[in-house]
Amino acid sequence: MGGMRICVNQSDVNKALMPQQYPLPTMEELTEQIAGSMVFSKLDLVWGYLQLELVEECRYLTAFVTHDGVFQFQSLPFGVVTGPSAFQQVMRPILDGLPGCANILDDVLVHGRDTVEHNSRLSDVLDYLAKYGAILRADKCLLGQQEVDFNGHRMSADGVKPLQSNVAALEHIAQLSSAAVVSIR
């Protein structure tokens, strides 16, 4: 997907906003939830927060100036400090209660014990997302897999494991830290 992505410094807006906290599912919750699942799909909501429409009376807060004039966002832009919480707060009720479904921000995990259960659950999730006008990014969606990477972890019939690339990065940081300590002494 090519195109232009507008990046606007929202720091002044962020200073005026009251911080909002809305919980994300924990890895423990996800591990418990996928126990026994053998088939997985990962759905990606295109443009994430930009799918949330801002109420008209708040749009002026996002105004920005370009060489072509002054514009304002009609949907929640990236960079607004309350964006992740607001997005999760909107997504949770849409998908909550659907068996075999979890979401963290703009990623949705669908899982089932077998292909029939998985496909039924996937159909329900897709119906709900369509009902609320959510748009998926097809090239980032994975359907009917034995394992998928989700929120920095590998989900499979074997459970939830951290991605090896993340483990390697942490080990590398640890090596750098111990090397720095040795060089200081």
Side-chain angles (χ1 to χ4, degrees), residues 75-88:
S75 54
L76 182 62
F78 293 102
V80 174
V81 71
T82 57
S85 292
F87 192 79
Q88 189 69 27

Side-chain angles (χ1 to χ4, degrees), residues 32-72:
E32 185 178 302
Q33 188 178 352
I34 71 159
S37 291
M38 305 285 282
V39 184
F40 302 87
S41 288
K42 182 174 90 170
L43 308 175
D44 182 81
L45 294 165
V46 69
W47 305 308
Y49 313 155
L50 288 170
Q51 292 194 43
L52 294 183
E53 189 174 343
L54 288 174
V55 292
E56 197 159 336
E57 57 268 14
C58 291
R59 292 178 183 171
Y60 77 94
L61 293 169
T62 67
F64 58 96
V65 179
T66 74
H67 64 282
D68 285 328
V70 178
F71 299 92
Q72 59 190 16

